[in-house]
């Protein structure tokens, strides 16, 4: 099973591309998906240590993906990214266990770097517990 995979789910191609490049620069492998449905069908769910997901997407949105994963017992650390930051979405995401809820753009943001470090560390630790069990 692959370790240290960060999956990026965003309907905007330029965001997927720049985010995966940023993740690569941190020394992690990244996989990009155009939709939540594509991510769920990809077979990469159990390889993913950290998930970076857009809030607003066609079809299943980021909050719905978070709920779907929680209902399935999948505790992947999630960083939400959005161009449309609203208090209700932020509240829902954070109450449901999101690591961070960030506005776009974020590429040079130290808060993104810190959030990513926390999420990646949590995801790697959880995968190690699963592997050792």
């Amino acid at each position: 099973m692959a370790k240290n995979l960060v999956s990026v789910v965003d309907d905007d191609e330029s965001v997927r591309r720049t985010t995966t490049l940023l993740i690569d620069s941190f020394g992690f492998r990244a996989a990009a998906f155009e939709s939540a449905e594509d991510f769920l069908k990809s077979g990469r769910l159990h390889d993913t240590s950290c998930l970076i997901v857009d809030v607003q997407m066609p079809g299943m949105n980021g909050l719905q993906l978070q709920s779907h994963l929680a209902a399935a017992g999948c505790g992947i650390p999630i960083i939400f990214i959005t161009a449309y930051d609203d208090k209700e979405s932020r509240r829902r995401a954070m109450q449901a266990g999101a690591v961070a809820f960030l506005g776009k753009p974020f590429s040079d943001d130290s808060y993104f770097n810190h959030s990513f470090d926390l999420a990646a560390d949590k995801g790697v630790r959880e995968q190690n517990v699963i592997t050792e069990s």
Side-chain angles (χ1 to χ4, degrees), residues 10-12 15 53-56 81-84 102-106:
D10 197 305
D11 59 318
D12 183 326
V15 172
V53 62
D54 191 8
V55 174
Q56 293 187 351
I81 56 176
T82 186
Y84 306 100
L102 307 174
K104 296 176 191 177
F106 56 80

Side-chain angles (χ1 to χ4, degrees), residues 15 23 34 36 73 95 97 114:
V15 172
I23 298 310
E34 187 174 357
Q95 279 186 338
H114 177 70

Side-chain angles (χ1 to χ4, degrees), residues 10-133:
D10 197 305
D11 59 318
D12 183 326
E13 182 182 357
S14 65
V15 172
R16 287 192 310 271
R17 185 176 58 253
T18 57
T19 305
T20 56
L21 290 172
L22 181 62
I23 298 310
D24 288 342
S25 76
F26 293 157
F28 288 84
R29 292 180 315 109
F33 304 93
E34 187 174 357
S35 69
E37 294 86 353
D38 287 349
F39 170 66
L40 292 171
K41 290 187 279 187
S42 72
R44 305 302 292 271
L45 176 64
H46 299 292
D47 295 341
T48 299
S49 298
C50 175
L51 183 61
I52 299 174
V53 62
D54 191 8
V55 174
Q56 293 187 351
M57 297 180 288
M60 182 185 287
N61 69 36
L63 295 171
Q64 292 167 329
L65 176 60
Q66 181 185 38
S67 294
H68 177 86
L69 294 172
C74 188
I76 299 171
I78 299 175
I79 297 173
F80 282 97
I81 56 176
T82 186
Y84 306 100
D85 189 359
D86 71 90
K87 290 179 183 176
E88 180 59 19
S89 293
R90 176 184 294 271
R91 183 192 65 74
R92 286 179 52 207
M94 298 306 289
Q95 279 186 338
V99 173
F101 193 99
L102 307 174
K104 296 176 191 177
F106 56 80
S107 61
D108 295 324
D109 185 10
S110 62
Y111 186 63
F112 173 82
N113 295 344
H114 177 70
S115 299
F116 178 77
D117 288 342
L118 289 173
D121 181 57
K122 180 180 178 186
V124 168
R125 279 187 283 120
E126 287 178 4
Q127 278 193 345
N128 287 339
V129 167
I130 291 168
T131 302
E132 293 169 4
S133 298

